[in-house]
Amino acid sequence: MTAPLDITSKDNPLLQRLRKLARDPAGYRKGGELWLEGEHLCSALQQRGQRPAQAVISAAAWGQPALRALAQWAPRVLRVPDALFDGLSALPSPARIGYLLPVPAMPAIDPQAASVVLDRLQDAGNVGSILRSAAAFGVGQVLALQGTAALWSPKVLRAGMGAHFGLRLVEGLQADDLAALQVPLVGTCLATDQLLHRAALPRPCAWVLGHEGQGVSADLLARCALQVRIPQPGGEESLNVAAAAAVCFYEAQRRV
């Protein structure tokens, strides 16, 4: 079992790094590290067989066998007073355990993978929810164009609830980079007459989801082999982009 190293100073250099990671959406890009806060995210990483570099746990959480075992999955464990852990957290109710690990290397685009393309989505909660739906329905690759919320930011990680660790994530792309795909693009658009449930959906494909207010860019829609609309008898634009993504992924999976 990994014995904990006790840290009691708020000025400890590692804890200073963690504070920045917890509050800066793009902090992982600068430091090359991820801060996974909370039992659920830590458990999700463990279930994928991936080990963090370090675990940080509060003194009270160390007294709980399940959380102590989760911390000891890491090769190095730092134990801090509860008040000090609270100062690390950006959450209203701190989870009292977290993992620090290197940012995963960004893979190349898999040309044949079932994918979702995120075109300038701004809301971290929407992005994380789409990742959850993608993982649930077998859409294994997420391609984020520049202007989309940072995929590994703390808010997207929390909203993703562990989906990140089962997906191929590529971010910072330009629209021209999508030329690497060998599967057709299927765009979501309110202006088309082609209804989702009647469309001949290619399989696999790359779903294209756009900005919460502006939708998919005209240039990107022009690249799509198919454009579809979700019928909404209660009123158009009732679904937000994360809900629309889940409907599209489910409809494609339903036909298998």
Side-chain angles (χ1 to χ4, degrees):
M1 293 193 301
T2 306
L5 172 66
D6 286 309
I7 293 180
T8 58
S9 172
K10 65 180 179 61
D11 297 322
N12 178 275
L14 174 61
L15 300 189
Q16 291 179 345
R17 295 205 321 264
L18 293 183
R19 290 187 199 100
K20 292 178 181 178
L21 286 172
R23 290 164 175 79
D24 183 353
Y28 67 92
R29 293 174 178 165
K30 304 167 189 172
E33 295 178 302
L34 293 178
W35 170 237
L36 306 183
E37 186 179 346
E39 182 179 2
H40 188 95
L41 281 178
C42 294
S43 295
L45 186 76
Q46 184 186 53
Q47 288 164 12
R48 289 283 176 178
Q50 301 177 37
R51 285 187 182 271
Q54 304 182 71
V56 182
I57 187 169
S58 76
W62 182 259
Q64 301 177 40
L67 294 181
R68 183 167 63 248
L70 197 57
Q72 291 178 318
W73 175 250
R76 186 169 187 254
V77 179
L78 306 179
R79 183 170 57 190
V80 301
D82 291 9
L84 196 54
F85 195 102
D86 292 351
L88 297 176
S89 179
L91 300 178
S93 300
R96 302 289 172 83
I97 187 171
Y99 283 162
L100 185 68
L101 64 155
V103 176
M106 191 164 67
I109 293 174
D110 181 344
Q112 299 290 342
S115 305
V116 57
V117 177
L118 306 181
D119 177 23
R120 299 164 296 124
L121 272 69
Q122 301 291 294
D123 186 85
N126 281 338
V127 173
S129 294
I130 290 170
L131 266 59
R132 289 183 69 183
S133 294
F137 293 115
V139 180
Q141 179 168 255
V142 179
L143 306 176
L145 300 188
Q146 281 191 359
T148 296
L151 294 188
W152 294 97
S153 69
K155 287 185 178 180
V156 175
L157 277 165
R158 290 196 295 272
M161 296 289 285
H164 287 70
F165 311 124
L167 295 169
R168 188 181 191 91
L169 303 178
V170 189
E171 63 178 349
L173 298 172
Q174 300 289 342
D176 288 346
D177 294 325
L178 301 179
L181 286 172
Q182 296 173 14
V183 298
L185 300 178
V186 178
T188 52
C189 176
L190 291 173
T192 181
D193 293 329
Q194 183 70 263
L195 297 180
L196 173 66
H197 63 288
R198 295 177 183 165
L201 298 176
R203 183 175 176 86
C205 70
W207 293 96
V208 183
L209 302 168
H211 182 279
E212 289 86 349
Q214 302 166 11
V216 179
S217 70
D219 174 68
L220 197 49
L221 275 178
R223 300 170 188 243
C224 293
L226 175 67
Q227 297 177 27
V228 297
R229 173 169 60 90
I230 299 170
Q232 299 175 53
E236 295 295 345
E237 301 189 50
S238 294
L239 295 178
N240 78 0
V241 66
V247 171
C248 292
F249 300 162
Y250 172 77
E251 177 62 21
Q253 182 62 32
R254 184 185 66 81
R255 300 185 188 189
V256 175

CSV table of all heavy atoms in Angstrom, one decimal, residues 143-207:
chain,number,residue,atom,x,y,z
A,143,LEU,N,-14.0,15.3,-32.4
A,143,LEU,CA,-13.2,16.2,-33.1
A,143,LEU,C,-13.7,17.6,-32.9
A,143,LEU,O,-14.8,18.0,-33.3
A,143,LEU,CB,-13.2,15.9,-34.6
A,143,LEU,CG,-12.9,14.5,-35.0
A,143,LEU,CD1,-13.0,14.3,-36.5
A,143,LEU,CD2,-11.5,14.1,-34.6
A,144,ALA,N,-12.9,18.4,-32.1
A,144,ALA,CA,-13.3,19.7,-31.7
A,144,ALA,C,-12.6,20.8,-32.5
A,144,ALA,O,-11.3,20.8,-32.5
A,144,ALA,CB,-13.0,19.9,-30.2
A,145,LEU,N,-13.3,21.6,-33.2
A,145,LEU,CA,-12.7,22.7,-34.0
A,145,LEU,C,-12.3,23.8,-33.1
A,145,LEU,O,-12.9,24.0,-32.0
A,145,LEU,CB,-13.7,23.2,-35.0
A,145,LEU,CG,-14.2,22.2,-36.1
A,145,LEU,CD1,-15.0,22.9,-37.2
A,145,LEU,CD2,-13.1,21.4,-36.7
A,146,GLN,N,-11.4,24.6,-33.5
A,146,GLN,CA,-11.0,25.8,-32.8
A,146,GLN,C,-12.2,26.7,-32.4
A,146,GLN,O,-13.1,26.9,-33.3
A,146,GLN,CB,-9.9,26.6,-33.5
A,146,GLN,CG,-8.6,26.0,-33.5
A,146,GLN,CD,-7.5,27.0,-34.0
A,146,GLN,OE1,-7.8,28.1,-34.5
A,146,GLN,NE2,-6.2,26.6,-34.0
A,147,GLY,N,-12.2,27.2,-31.2
A,147,GLY,CA,-13.3,27.9,-30.7
A,147,GLY,C,-14.3,27.1,-29.8
A,147,GLY,O,-15.2,27.7,-29.2
A,148,THR,N,-14.1,25.8,-29.8
A,148,THR,CA,-14.9,25.0,-28.9
A,148,THR,C,-14.3,25.0,-27.5
A,148,THR,O,-13.1,25.1,-27.4
A,148,THR,CB,-14.9,23.5,-29.5
A,148,THR,OG1,-15.6,23.5,-30.8
A,148,THR,CG2,-15.6,22.5,-28.5
A,149,ALA,N,-15.1,24.8,-26.5
A,149,ALA,CA,-14.6,24.8,-25.1
A,149,ALA,C,-13.5,23.7,-25.0
A,149,ALA,O,-13.6,22.6,-25.6
A,149,ALA,CB,-15.8,24.5,-24.2
A,150,ALA,N,-12.5,24.0,-24.2
A,150,ALA,CA,-11.4,23.1,-24.0
A,150,ALA,C,-11.9,21.7,-23.5
A,150,ALA,O,-12.5,21.6,-22.5
A,150,ALA,CB,-10.4,23.7,-23.1
A,151,LEU,N,-11.5,20.7,-24.2
A,151,LEU,CA,-12.1,19.3,-23.9
A,151,LEU,C,-11.7,18.8,-22.6
A,151,LEU,O,-12.4,18.1,-21.9
A,151,LEU,CB,-11.7,18.3,-25.0
A,151,LEU,CG,-12.3,18.6,-26.4
A,151,LEU,CD1,-11.9,17.4,-27.3
A,151,LEU,CD2,-13.8,18.8,-26.4
A,152,TRP,N,-10.5,19.2,-22.1
A,152,TRP,CA,-10.0,18.6,-20.8
A,152,TRP,C,-10.1,19.7,-19.7
A,152,TRP,O,-9.5,19.5,-18.7
A,152,TRP,CB,-8.6,18.2,-21.0
A,152,TRP,CG,-8.4,17.0,-21.9
A,152,TRP,CD1,-8.0,17.0,-23.2
A,152,TRP,CD2,-8.6,15.6,-21.5
A,152,TRP,NE1,-8.0,15.7,-23.7
A,152,TRP,CE2,-8.3,14.8,-22.7
A,152,TRP,CE3,-8.9,14.9,-20.4
A,152,TRP,CZ2,-8.4,13.4,-22.7
A,152,TRP,CZ3,-9.0,13.6,-20.4
A,152,TRP,CH2,-8.7,12.8,-21.5
A,153,SER,N,-10.9,20.7,-19.9
A,153,SER,CA,-11.1,21.7,-18.8
A,153,SER,C,-11.8,21.1,-17.7
A,153,SER,O,-12.5,20.1,-17.8
A,153,SER,CB,-11.8,22.9,-19.4
A,153,SER,OG,-13.2,22.6,-19.6
A,154,PRO,N,-11.6,21.6,-16.5
A,154,PRO,CA,-12.3,21.1,-15.3
A,154,PRO,C,-13.8,20.9,-15.5
A,154,PRO,O,-14.4,19.9,-15.1
A,154,PRO,CB,-12.0,22.0,-14.2
A,154,PRO,CG,-10.6,22.6,-14.6
A,154,PRO,CD,-10.7,22.7,-16.1
A,155,LYS,N,-14.5,21.9,-16.0
A,155,LYS,CA,-15.9,21.9,-16.2
A,155,LYS,C,-16.4,20.8,-17.2
A,155,LYS,O,-17.4,20.1,-17.0
A,155,LYS,CB,-16.5,23.2,-16.6
A,155,LYS,CG,-16.5,24.2,-15.5
A,155,LYS,CD,-17.1,25.6,-15.9
A,155,LYS,CE,-17.2,26.5,-14.7
A,155,LYS,NZ,-17.8,27.8,-15.1
A,156,VAL,N,-15.6,20.7,-18.3
A,156,VAL,CA,-16.0,19.6,-19.3
A,156,VAL,C,-15.7,18.2,-18.7
A,156,VAL,O,-16.5,17.3,-18.9
A,156,VAL,CB,-15.2,19.8,-20.6
A,156,VAL,CG1,-15.4,18.7,-21.5
A,156,VAL,CG2,-15.6,21.2,-21.2
A,157,LEU,N,-14.6,18.1,-17.9
A,157,LEU,CA,-14.3,16.8,-17.3
A,157,LEU,C,-15.5,16.4,-16.3
A,157,LEU,O,-15.9,15.3,-16.3
A,157,LEU,CB,-13.0,16.9,-16.5
A,157,LEU,CG,-11.7,16.7,-17.3
A,157,LEU,CD1,-10.5,17.2,-16.5
A,157,LEU,CD2,-11.6,15.2,-17.7
A,158,ARG,N,-15.9,17.4,-15.5
A,158,ARG,CA,-17.0,17.1,-14.6
A,158,ARG,C,-18.3,16.7,-15.3
A,158,ARG,O,-19.0,15.7,-14.9
A,158,ARG,CB,-17.2,18.2,-13.6
A,158,ARG,CG,-16.1,18.5,-12.6
A,158,ARG,CD,-16.5,19.3,-11.5
A,158,ARG,NE,-16.8,20.7,-11.9
A,158,ARG,CZ,-15.9,21.7,-12.0
A,158,ARG,NH1,-14.7,21.5,-11.7
A,158,ARG,NH2,-16.3,22.9,-12.3
A,159,ALA,N,-18.6,17.5,-16.3
A,159,ALA,CA,-19.8,17.2,-17.1
A,159,ALA,C,-19.7,15.8,-17.8
A,159,ALA,O,-20.7,15.1,-18.0
A,159,ALA,CB,-20.2,18.3,-18.1
A,160,GLY,N,-18.5,15.5,-18.3
A,160,GLY,CA,-18.3,14.2,-19.0
A,160,GLY,C,-18.4,13.0,-18.1
A,160,GLY,O,-18.6,11.9,-18.6
A,161,MET,N,-18.2,13.2,-16.8
A,161,MET,CA,-18.4,12.1,-15.8
A,161,MET,C,-17.6,10.8,-16.2
A,161,MET,O,-18.0,9.7,-16.0
A,161,MET,CB,-19.9,11.7,-15.8
A,161,MET,CG,-20.8,12.8,-15.2
A,161,MET,SD,-20.6,13.1,-13.5
A,161,MET,CE,-21.4,11.6,-12.8
A,162,GLY,N,-16.4,11.0,-16.7
A,162,GLY,CA,-15.5,9.9,-17.0
A,162,GLY,C,-15.5,9.4,-18.4
A,162,GLY,O,-14.8,8.5,-18.8
A,163,ALA,N,-16.4,10.0,-19.3
A,163,ALA,CA,-16.5,9.6,-20.7
A,163,ALA,C,-15.2,9.8,-21.4
A,163,ALA,O,-14.8,9.1,-22.3
A,163,ALA,CB,-17.6,10.3,-21.4
A,164,HIS,N,-14.4,10.8,-21.0
A,164,HIS,CA,-13.2,11.2,-21.7
A,164,HIS,C,-12.2,10.0,-21.8
A,164,HIS,O,-11.5,9.8,-22.8
A,164,HIS,CB,-12.4,12.2,-20.8
A,164,HIS,CG,-13.0,13.6,-20.9
A,164,HIS,ND1,-14.2,13.9,-20.3
A,164,HIS,CD2,-12.5,14.7,-21.4
A,164,HIS,CE1,-14.4,15.2,-20.5
A,164,HIS,NE2,-13.4,15.7,-21.2
A,165,PHE,N,-12.2,9.1,-20.8
A,165,PHE,CA,-11.2,8.0,-20.8
A,165,PHE,C,-11.5,6.9,-21.7
A,165,PHE,O,-10.7,6.0,-21.9
A,165,PHE,CB,-11.0,7.6,-19.4
A,165,PHE,CG,-10.8,8.7,-18.4
A,165,PHE,CD1,-11.7,8.8,-17.3
A,165,PHE,CD2,-9.8,9.6,-18.6
A,165,PHE,CE1,-11.5,9.9,-16.4
A,165,PHE,CE2,-9.7,10.7,-17.7
A,165,PHE,CZ,-10.5,10.8,-16.6
A,166,GLY,N,-12.7,6.9,-22.4
A,166,GLY,CA,-13.1,5.9,-23.3
A,166,GLY,C,-13.2,6.4,-24.7
A,166,GLY,O,-13.7,5.7,-25.6
A,167,LEU,N,-12.8,7.7,-25.0
A,167,LEU,CA,-13.0,8.3,-26.3
A,167,LEU,C,-11.6,8.7,-26.9
A,167,LEU,O,-10.7,9.0,-26.2
A,167,LEU,CB,-13.9,9.6,-26.1
A,167,LEU,CG,-15.3,9.3,-25.7
A,167,LEU,CD1,-16.0,10.6,-25.3
A,167,LEU,CD2,-16.1,8.6,-26.8
A,168,ARG,N,-11.6,8.9,-28.2
A,168,ARG,CA,-10.5,9.4,-28.9
A,168,ARG,C,-10.8,10.9,-29.1
A,168,ARG,O,-11.7,11.3,-29.8
A,168,ARG,CB,-10.4,8.7,-30.3
A,168,ARG,CG,-9.1,9.1,-31.1
A,168,ARG,CD,-9.1,8.3,-32.4
A,168,ARG,NE,-7.8,8.4,-33.1
A,168,ARG,CZ,-6.9,7.5,-32.9
A,168,ARG,NH1,-7.0,6.5,-32.1
A,168,ARG,NH2,-5.7,7.7,-33.6
A,169,LEU,N,-10.0,11.8,-28.4
A,169,LEU,CA,-10.3,13.2,-28.4
A,169,LEU,C,-9.2,14.0,-29.1
A,169,LEU,O,-8.0,13.9,-28.8
A,169,LEU,CB,-10.3,13.7,-26.9
A,169,LEU,CG,-11.4,13.0,-26.0
A,169,LEU,CD1,-11.3,13.5,-24.6
A,169,LEU,CD2,-12.8,13.1,-26.6
A,170,VAL,N,-9.7,14.8,-30.1
A,170,VAL,CA,-8.7,15.6,-30.9
A,170,VAL,C,-9.3,17.0,-30.9
A,170,VAL,O,-10.5,17.2,-31.3
A,170,VAL,CB,-8.6,15.0,-32.4
A,170,VAL,CG1,-7.5,15.8,-33.1
A,170,VAL,CG2,-8.4,13.5,-32.4
A,171,GLU,N,-8.5,18.0,-30.5
A,171,GLU,CA,-9.0,19.3,-30.4
A,171,GLU,C,-8.1,20.3,-31.1
A,171,GLU,O,-7.0,20.0,-31.6
A,171,GLU,CB,-9.3,19.7,-29.0
A,171,GLU,CG,-8.0,19.8,-28.1
A,171,GLU,CD,-8.4,20.3,-26.7
A,171,GLU,OE1,-9.5,20.7,-26.4
A,171,GLU,OE2,-7.5,20.1,-25.8
A,172,GLY,N,-8.6,21.6,-31.2
A,172,GLY,CA,-7.8,22.6,-31.9
A,172,GLY,C,-7.8,22.5,-33.4
A,172,GLY,O,-6.8,23.0,-34.0
A,173,LEU,N,-8.8,21.8,-34.0
A,173,LEU,CA,-8.7,21.6,-35.4
A,173,LEU,C,-9.3,22.7,-36.2
A,173,LEU,O,-10.1,23.5,-35.8
A,173,LEU,CB,-9.5,20.3,-35.7
A,173,LEU,CG,-9.1,19.0,-35.1
A,173,LEU,CD1,-10.1,17.9,-35.3
A,173,LEU,CD2,-7.7,18.6,-35.7
A,174,GLN,N,-8.9,22.8,-37.5
A,174,GLN,CA,-9.5,23.7,-38.5
A,174,GLN,C,-10.4,22.8,-39.3
A,174,GLN,O,-10.3,21.6,-39.4
A,174,GLN,CB,-8.4,24.3,-39.4
A,174,GLN,CG,-7.4,25.1,-38.7
A,174,GLN,CD,-8.0,26.4,-38.1
A,174,GLN,OE1,-9.0,26.9,-38.6
A,174,GLN,NE2,-7.3,27.0,-37.2
A,175,ALA,N,-11.4,23.5,-40.0
A,175,ALA,CA,-12.4,22.7,-40.8
A,175,ALA,C,-11.7,21.9,-41.9
A,175,ALA,O,-12.1,20.8,-42.2
A,175,ALA,CB,-13.4,23.7,-41.4
A,176,ASP,N,-10.6,22.4,-42.4
A,176,ASP,CA,-9.9,21.6,-43.5
A,176,ASP,C,-9.3,20.3,-43.0
A,176,ASP,O,-9.0,19.4,-43.7
A,176,ASP,CB,-8.8,22.5,-44.1
A,176,ASP,CG,-9.3,23.6,-45.0
A,176,ASP,OD1,-10.5,23.6,-45.3
A,176,ASP,OD2,-8.6,24.6,-45.3
A,177,ASP,N,-9.0,20.3,-41.6
A,177,ASP,CA,-8.4,19.0,-41.1
A,177,ASP,C,-9.4,17.9,-41.2
A,177,ASP,O,-9.0,16.7,-41.2
A,177,ASP,CB,-8.1,19.2,-39.6
A,177,ASP,CG,-7.0,20.2,-39.4
A,177,ASP,OD1,-6.0,20.3,-40.2
A,177,ASP,OD2,-7.0,21.0,-38.4
A,178,LEU,N,-10.7,18.2,-41.4
A,178,LEU,CA,-11.7,17.1,-41.5
A,178,LEU,C,-11.6,16.3,-42.8
A,178,LEU,O,-12.2,15.3,-42.9
A,178,LEU,CB,-13.1,17.7,-41.3
A,178,LEU,CG,-13.4,18.4,-40.0
A,178,LEU,CD1,-14.8,19.0,-40.0
A,178,LEU,CD2,-13.2,17.5,-38.8
A,179,ALA,N,-10.8,16.8,-43.7
A,179,ALA,CA,-10.6,16.1,-44.9
A,179,ALA,C,-9.9,14.8,-44.7
A,179,ALA,O,-10.0,13.9,-45.5
A,179,ALA,CB,-9.7,17.0,-45.9
A,180,ALA,N,-9.3,14.6,-43.5
A,180,ALA,CA,-8.7,13.3,-43.2
A,180,ALA,C,-9.7,12.2,-43.0
A,180,ALA,O,-9.4,11.0,-43.0
A,180,ALA,CB,-7.8,13.5,-41.9
A,181,LEU,N,-11.0,12.6,-42.7
A,181,LEU,CA,-12.0,11.6,-42.5
A,181,LEU,C,-12.4,11.0,-43.8
A,181,LEU,O,-12.6,11.6,-44.8
A,181,LEU,CB,-13.3,12.3,-41.9
A,181,LEU,CG,-13.2,12.7,-40.4
A,181,LEU,CD1,-14.4,13.6,-40.0
A,181,LEU,CD2,-13.1,11.5,-39.5
A,182,GLN,N,-12.7,9.7,-43.7
A,182,GLN,CA,-13.2,8.9,-44.8
A,182,GLN,C,-14.6,8.5,-44.6
A,182,GLN,O,-15.2,7.7,-45.4
A,182,GLN,CB,-12.3,7.7,-45.1
A,182,GLN,CG,-10.9,8.1,-45.5
A,182,GLN,CD,-9.9,6.9,-45.6
A,182,GLN,OE1,-10.3,5.7,-45.6
A,182,GLN,NE2,-8.6,7.2,-45.6
A,183,VAL,N,-15.3,9.0,-43.6
A,183,VAL,CA,-16.7,8.7,-43.3
A,183,VAL,C,-17.4,10.0,-43.7
A,183,VAL,O,-16.9,11.1,-43.5
A,183,VAL,CB,-17.0,8.3,-41.9
A,183,VAL,CG1,-16.2,7.0,-41.6
A,183,VAL,CG2,-16.5,9.4,-40.9
A,184,PRO,N,-18.7,9.9,-44.1
A,184,PRO,CA,-19.4,11.2,-44.5
A,184,PRO,C,-19.8,12.0,-43.3
A,184,PRO,O,-20.0,11.5,-42.2
A,184,PRO,CB,-20.7,10.6,-45.2
A,184,PRO,CG,-20.8,9.2,-44.7
A,184,PRO,CD,-19.4,8.7,-44.4
A,185,LEU,N,-19.9,13.3,-43.5
A,185,LEU,CA,-20.3,14.3,-42.5
A,185,LEU,C,-21.8,14.4,-42.6
A,185,LEU,O,-22.4,14.5,-43.7
A,185,LEU,CB,-19.7,15.6,-42.8
A,185,LEU,CG,-18.2,15.8,-42.7
A,185,LEU,CD1,-17.8,17.2,-43.0
A,185,LEU,CD2,-17.6,15.3,-41.4
A,186,VAL,N,-22.5,14.3,-41.4
A,186,VAL,CA,-23.9,14.5,-41.3
A,186,VAL,C,-24.2,15.7,-40.5
A,186,VAL,O,-23.9,15.7,-39.3
A,186,VAL,CB,-24.6,13.3,-40.7
A,186,VAL,CG1,-26.1,13.5,-40.6
A,186,VAL,CG2,-24.4,12.1,-41.6
A,187,GLY,N,-24.7,16.8,-41.0
A,187,GLY,CA,-24.9,18.0,-40.3
A,187,GLY,C,-26.2,18.2,-39.7
A,187,GLY,O,-27.2,17.7,-40.3
A,188,THR,N,-26.3,18.8,-38.6
A,188,THR,CA,-27.6,19.1,-37.9
A,188,THR,C,-28.0,20.5,-38.3
A,188,THR,O,-27.2,21.4,-38.1
A,188,THR,CB,-27.5,18.9,-36.4
A,188,THR,OG1,-26.4,19.7,-35.9
A,188,THR,CG2,-27.3,17.4,-36.1
A,189,CYS,N,-29.2,20.7,-38.8
A,189,CYS,CA,-29.6,22.0,-39.3
A,189,CYS,C,-31.1,22.2,-39.2
A,189,CYS,O,-31.9,21.3,-39.6
A,189,CYS,CB,-29.1,22.1,-40.8
A,189,CYS,SG,-29.6,23.6,-41.6
A,190,LEU,N,-31.5,23.4,-38.8
A,190,LEU,CA,-33.0,23.6,-38.7
A,190,LEU,C,-33.6,24.0,-40.1
A,190,LEU,O,-34.8,23.9,-40.2
A,190,LEU,CB,-33.2,24.8,-37.7
A,190,LEU,CG,-33.0,24.5,-36.2
A,190,LEU,CD1,-33.1,25.8,-35.4
A,190,LEU,CD2,-33.9,23.4,-35.7
A,191,ALA,N,-32.7,24.3,-41.0
A,191,ALA,CA,-33.2,24.8,-42.3
A,191,ALA,C,-33.5,23.7,-43.3
A,191,ALA,O,-34.0,24.0,-44.4
A,191,ALA,CB,-32.3,25.8,-42.9
A,192,THR,N,-33.2,22.5,-43.0
A,192,THR,CA,-33.4,21.4,-44.0
A,192,THR,C,-34.8,20.8,-43.8
A,192,THR,O,-35.4,20.8,-42.7
A,192,THR,CB,-32.3,20.3,-43.8
A,192,THR,OG1,-32.6,19.3,-44.8
A,192,THR,CG2,-32.3,19.7,-42.5
A,193,ASP,N,-35.3,20.2,-44.9
A,193,ASP,CA,-36.6,19.4,-44.8
A,193,ASP,C,-36.4,18.0,-44.5
A,193,ASP,O,-37.3,17.2,-44.3
A,193,ASP,CB,-37.4,19.6,-46.1
A,193,ASP,CG,-37.9,21.0,-46.3
A,193,ASP,OD1,-38.2,21.7,-45.3
A,193,ASP,OD2,-38.0,21.4,-47.5
A,194,GLN,N,-35.1,17.5,-44.4
A,194,GLN,CA,-34.8,16.1,-44.2
A,194,GLN,C,-34.9,15.8,-42.7
A,194,GLN,O,-34.1,16.2,-41.9
A,194,GLN,CB,-33.4,15.8,-44.7
A,194,GLN,CG,-33.0,14.4,-44.6
A,194,GLN,CD,-33.7,13.5,-45.6
A,194,GLN,OE1,-34.7,12.8,-45.2
A,194,GLN,NE2,-33.3,13.4,-46.8
A,195,LEU,N,-35.9,15.0,-42.4
A,195,LEU,CA,-36.1,14.7,-40.9
A,195,LEU,C,-35.2,13.5,-40.5
A,195,LEU,O,-35.1,12.6,-41.3
A,195,LEU,CB,-37.6,14.4,-40.7
A,195,LEU,CG,-38.6,15.5,-40.9
A,195,LEU,CD1,-40.0,15.1,-40.7
A,195,LEU,CD2,-38.2,16.7,-40.1
A,196,LEU,N,-34.7,13.6,-39.3
A,196,LEU,CA,-33.8,12.6,-38.8
A,196,LEU,C,-34.3,11.2,-38.9
A,196,LEU,O,-33.6,10.3,-39.4
A,196,LEU,CB,-33.4,12.9,-37.4
A,196,LEU,CG,-32.5,11.9,-36.6
A,196,LEU,CD1,-31.2,11.8,-37.3
A,196,LEU,CD2,-32.5,12.3,-35.2
A,197,HIS,N,-35.5,11.0,-38.5
A,197,HIS,CA,-36.0,9.6,-38.4
A,197,HIS,C,-36.4,9.0,-39.8
A,197,HIS,O,-36.6,7.8,-39.9
A,197,HIS,CB,-37.3,9.5,-37.5
A,197,HIS,CG,-38.4,10.3,-38.0
A,197,HIS,ND1,-38.5,11.7,-38.0
A,197,HIS,CD2,-39.6,9.9,-38.5
A,197,HIS,CE1,-39.6,12.1,-38.4
A,197,HIS,NE2,-40.3,11.1,-38.8
A,198,ARG,N,-36.4,9.8,-40.8
A,198,ARG,CA,-36.7,9.4,-42.2
A,198,ARG,C,-35.4,9.3,-43.1
A,198,ARG,O,-35.5,8.8,-44.2
A,198,ARG,CB,-37.7,10.2,-42.8
A,198,ARG,CG,-39.1,10.2,-42.2
A,198,ARG,CD,-40.1,11.1,-42.8
A,198,ARG,NE,-41.3,11.1,-42.1
A,198,ARG,CZ,-42.3,12.0,-42.3
A,198,ARG,NH1,-42.1,13.1,-43.1
A,198,ARG,NH2,-43.4,12.0,-41.6
A,199,ALA,N,-34.4,9.9,-42.6
A,199,ALA,CA,-33.1,10.0,-43.4
A,199,ALA,C,-32.4,8.7,-43.5
A,199,ALA,O,-32.4,7.9,-42.6
A,199,ALA,CB,-32.2,11.1,-42.8
A,200,ALA,N,-31.8,8.5,-44.6
A,200,ALA,CA,-30.9,7.3,-44.8
A,200,ALA,C,-29.5,7.7,-44.2
A,200,ALA,O,-28.7,8.3,-44.9
A,200,ALA,CB,-30.8,7.0,-46.3
A,201,LEU,N,-29.4,7.3,-43.0
A,201,LEU,CA,-28.2,7.7,-42.3
A,201,LEU,C,-27.0,6.8,-42.7
A,201,LEU,O,-27.1,5.5,-42.6
A,201,LEU,CB,-28.4,7.6,-40.8
A,201,LEU,CG,-29.4,8.5,-40.2
A,201,LEU,CD1,-29.6,8.3,-38.7
A,201,LEU,CD2,-29.1,10.0,-40.4
A,202,PRO,N,-25.9,7.3,-43.1
A,202,PRO,CA,-24.7,6.5,-43.4
A,202,PRO,C,-24.1,6.0,-42.1
A,202,PRO,O,-24.3,6.6,-41.0
A,202,PRO,CB,-23.7,7.5,-44.0
A,202,PRO,CG,-24.1,8.8,-43.6
A,202,PRO,CD,-25.6,8.8,-43.3
A,203,ARG,N,-23.5,4.8,-42.1
A,203,ARG,CA,-22.9,4.2,-40.9
A,203,ARG,C,-21.6,3.6,-41.3
A,203,ARG,O,-21.6,2.7,-42.2
A,203,ARG,CB,-23.8,3.2,-40.3
A,203,ARG,CG,-23.3,2.6,-39.0
A,203,ARG,CD,-24.3,1.6,-38.3
A,203,ARG,NE,-23.7,1.0,-37.2
A,203,ARG,CZ,-23.7,1.6,-36.0
A,203,ARG,NH1,-24.2,2.7,-35.8
A,203,ARG,NH2,-23.1,1.0,-35.0
A,204,PRO,N,-20.5,4.0,-40.7
A,204,PRO,CA,-20.4,5.1,-39.7
A,204,PRO,C,-20.4,6.4,-40.4
A,204,PRO,O,-20.3,6.5,-41.6
A,204,PRO,CB,-19.0,4.8,-39.1
A,204,PRO,CG,-18.2,4.2,-40.2
A,204,PRO,CD,-19.1,3.4,-40.9
A,205,CYS,N,-20.6,7.5,-39.6
A,205,CYS,CA,-20.6,8.8,-40.1
A,205,CYS,C,-19.9,9.7,-39.1
A,205,CYS,O,-19.5,9.3,-38.0
A,205,CYS,CB,-22.0,9.3,-40.4
A,205,CYS,SG,-23.0,9.6,-38.9
A,206,ALA,N,-19.8,11.0,-39.4
A,206,ALA,CA,-19.3,12.0,-38.5
A,206,ALA,C,-20.4,13.0,-38.3
A,206,ALA,O,-20.7,13.8,-39.2
A,206,ALA,CB,-18.1,12.7,-39.0
A,207,TRP,N,-21.1,13.1,-37.1
A,207,TRP,CA,-22.1,14.0,-36.8
A,207,TRP,C,-21.5,15.4,-36.6
A,207,TRP,O,-20.5,15.5,-35.9
A,207,TRP,CB,-22.9,13.6,-35.6
A,207,TRP,CG,-23.7,12.4,-35.7
A,207,TRP,CD1,-23.3,11.1,-35.4
A,207,TRP,CD2,-25.0,12.3,-36.3
A,207,TRP,NE1,-24.3,10.2,-35.7
A,207,TRP,CE2,-25.4,10.9,-36.2
A,207,TRP,CE3,-25.9,13.2,-36.8
A,207,TRP,CZ2,-26.6,10.5,-36.7
A,207,TRP,CZ3,-27.1,12.8,-37.3
A,207,TRP,CH2,-27.5,11.4,-37.2
